[in-house]
Amino acid sequence: MLSLLVVLPLVAALVAAAVPRLPSAAVRWWWLGVTGVEVVLVAVLWAGYRTPASGSLAYEERVPWIPGVRSSYHVGLDGLSLPLVALTCVVFLACAVYALRDDERPRPRAALFLFLQATCIGLFIAADLLVFFVWFDLSIVGMYLVIAGWGHGDAARSALKFFLYTFLGSLALLLGFIGLYVGSSPHTFDMLELAAHPPLSGTAGGLVLAAVLLGLAVKTPTFPFHTWLPPAHTDAPAIGSAVLAGVLLKMGTYGFVRIAMPMLPASWRAWSGVILAVGIVSVLYGALVALAQKDFKRMVAYTSVNHMGYVVVAVGAAGFVSGSDAHARSVAVSGAVTQMVSHGLITAALFLLAGVLHRRAATYDLGAFGGLAGPAPRFTALLAVASFASLGLPGFSGFIAEFQVFTGSIAAVPVALLALPGIVITAALFLVALQRLVAGPVRGRSEEFTDLVGTETWSVLPLLALSLLIGVLPRVLLDVVEPAADAVVRLVGR
């Protein structure tokens, strides 16, 4: 059943691409129907999920693929991957709803997004490094086509920059994977075997970890490997930005906890100070640069550098084994995974709302609007909720995630508190943006601004409702995440 999550959107994409006579409306509803079924399937998997025994996965499937290098189609779920698979299905469903009224080449767009959904789910369920890498690279191709084909502004240049940066990062990742394969005995790409028997340490382990970290850091993105992100977001269509920020960025941080930490524990501990420093700089740099933006979409893009920096801080702190207790480090890792889910939900909502600005006024310039609360009360309400959720207000998932990240990280290594000002700066920048967009008299592009239509409302509302659900009832998520976080901390501490 797990493979059905990957196969279904792939087959649906082929149908959409291969049947040119499908009417536009039928294609859009076909896309929506498939993404809806995907959400139902992942809900069934979640309902039947039981924490797997140490060193194994739930819903595990294995089929020989390239036996000469001991690579197999090996997939499964645990508390690290299940929340991200669910996040992927929800975000893609929201995008399909948002695009119901768009008539810009709907057939290839539906096929492309269904293909992209399959690559994301395939990566999060992969238990073999080669399978992981194949989906990692295919997702880059899919997002490149989304930005180049449906973007605006200087879309071709932004798409090319995105492709070159992330593709070069993937080559570094491949070098790291080959290093893990060469160092293992017997040679294998199987993730469970590599985590159970770490193949490398010392200088060789450090070099392989550097290659893996470089590939994942570009994808995350962390400072200073983030420069592809603002133009990619600014020129991407709204649903492209929602998928890029909501799902694709998580591939990098997921790789930290799935690959780098358990497979190279000694090297991770040795490099934890550098990783923590990069995380702190990313938190502060992302927040300060976001505060200086006059373009709403670029502002949200830079907050991704800030919010993903929290994840890097947490996983970096988890490497400070000496003198710290395992529970604190487990809390930090649990917060990192919660932050991935929270950021995916909230930022996808923010980018869809940014898309509404562009649909109505063809600009994201904060100075072009004012007083939107009058003509667009539904837009204002959802933007306010998304902003408060993103700045970590209690009652939303962002608060749960950031509370865990900082509690666990500071308890493990007190210097992590240097990242705390990032929360204050983030709060300030969202309040300033809200004030400029929705408060005061109606002026500029706000005068002819029309409120959200049904598809726009129902694409954003469920994302924020899930953030609220996690914020009020966090056990729904934490019961799944915490056992997996404990396992990661045990593996790093070996």
Side-chain angles (χ1 to χ4, degrees):
M1 183 172 175
L2 186 58
S3 293
L4 185 60
L5 278 173
V6 179
V7 173
L8 178 61
L10 276 181
V11 172
L14 286 173
V15 171
V19 185
R21 293 184 179 176
L22 275 177
S24 296
V27 169
R28 290 194 292 266
W29 283 102
W30 170 252
W31 178 18
L32 178 62
V34 172
T35 53
V37 171
E38 289 281 280
V39 170
V40 172
L41 287 175
V42 81
V44 171
L45 287 174
W46 193 300
Y49 176 78
R50 300 292 180 271
T51 300
S54 178
S56 64
L57 297 169
Y59 303 108
E60 201 167 356
E61 300 171 16
R62 190 198 299 260
V63 178
W65 181 35
I66 311 176
V69 294
R70 297 191 68 213
S71 178
S72 60
Y73 173 76
H74 186 190
V75 297
L77 288 175
D78 65 2
L80 303 177
S81 52
L82 178 58
L84 295 175
V85 172
L87 170 71
T88 301
C89 294
V90 169
V91 169
F92 274 89
L93 175 60
C95 291
V97 173
Y98 185 89
L100 262 180
R101 294 176 73 243
D102 284 347
D103 204 22
E104 187 182 2
R105 290 169 288 145
R107 195 170 63 83
R109 183 183 57 194
L112 187 54
F113 272 85
L114 286 165
F115 166 77
L116 199 50
Q117 181 171 359
T119 67
C120 297
I121 296 173
L123 181 142
F124 290 131
I125 67 174
D128 183 282
L129 289 178
L130 275 189
V131 177
F132 181 99
F133 182 77
V134 167
W135 293 123
F136 189 92
D137 259 15
L138 289 178
S139 72
I140 295 172
V141 176
M143 183 50 65
Y144 165 78
L145 294 174
V146 166
I147 299 172
W150 283 265
H152 43 258
D154 200 355
R157 185 173 183 275
S158 297
L160 183 62
K161 189 172 185 180
F162 160 81
F163 185 88
L164 291 177
Y165 265 70
T166 52
F167 190 70
L168 285 173
S170 79
L171 292 181
L173 192 63
L174 180 61
L175 281 177
F177 288 177
I178 292 173
L180 286 167
Y181 173 80
V182 171
S184 59
S185 181
H187 298 319
T188 182
F189 284 105
D190 190 90
M191 290 184 179
L192 297 187
E193 291 184 36
L194 290 168
H197 307 288
L200 295 167
S201 61
T203 303
L207 291 173
V208 169
L209 180 64
V212 171
L213 286 181
L214 178 60
L216 299 176
V218 171
K219 191 80 170 185
T220 296
T222 58
F223 179 88
F225 308 109
H226 66 284
T227 53
W228 60 268
L229 184 74
H233 273 307
T234 304
D235 295 334
I239 55 176
S241 291
V243 167
L244 178 57
V247 182
L248 263 66
L249 301 191
K250 310 303 173 294
M251 293 178 176
T253 48
Y254 176 71
F256 290 147
V257 294
R258 171 60 72 200
I259 298 170
M261 295 174 75
M263 296 180 197
L264 295 157
S267 302
W268 187 272
R269 294 195 301 272
W271 283 58
S272 57
V274 176
I275 297 165
L276 178 64
V278 169
I280 293 172
V281 171
S282 296
V283 167
L284 299 177
Y285 173 84
L288 287 170
V289 177
L291 181 63
Q293 297 303 309
K294 301 183 186 305
D295 180 298
F296 180 71
K297 207 174 183 190
R298 286 181 71 90
M299 185 201 83
V300 177
Y302 275 110
T303 63
S304 290
V305 179
N306 162 264
H307 283 99
M308 290 294 94
Y310 295 145
V311 177
V312 180
V313 166
V315 296
F320 283 78
V321 174
S322 177
S324 62
D325 70 274
H327 178 68
R329 290 181 284 115
S330 179
V331 170
V333 174
S334 179
V337 178
T338 307
Q339 175 70 355
M340 293 183 216
V341 176
S342 173
H343 179 264
L345 294 170
I346 298 168
T347 306
L350 282 167
F351 276 122
L352 293 180
L353 290 169
V356 174
L357 290 177
H358 197 270
R359 271 181 173 177
R360 305 288 193 276
T363 182
Y364 303 110
D365 184 3
L366 287 166
F369 301 93
L372 277 174
R378 287 194 296 277
F379 174 84
T380 300
L382 291 183
L383 181 64
V385 171
S387 299
F388 285 121
S390 188
L391 63 84
L393 196 73
F396 291 98
S397 55
F399 174 77
I400 302 296
E402 291 170 18
F403 179 79
Q404 287 183 303
V405 165
F406 281 107
T407 300
S409 300
I410 293 173
V413 50
V415 75
L417 61 81
L418 290 175
L420 271 175
I423 295 178
V424 180
I425 301 169
T426 305
L429 69 91
F430 273 111
L431 293 176
V432 169
L434 273 177
Q435 192 176 37
R436 297 181 68 178
L437 283 172
V438 305
V442 179
R443 63 180 182 81
R445 304 293 179 90
S446 300
E447 291 177 354
E448 297 181 356
F449 199 95
T450 56
D451 206 355
L452 299 181
V453 297
T455 52
E456 293 164 343
T457 302
W458 287 106
S459 61
V460 174
L461 193 59
L463 298 173
L464 299 179
L466 284 171
S467 174
L468 182 64
L469 174 67
I470 295 170
V472 176
L473 299 171
R475 297 313 315 173
V476 175
L477 177 63
L478 297 183
D479 283 346
V480 172
V481 171
E482 285 177 347
D486 290 340
V488 170
V489 168
R490 281 198 303 273
L491 292 172
V492 171
R494 287 173 289 178

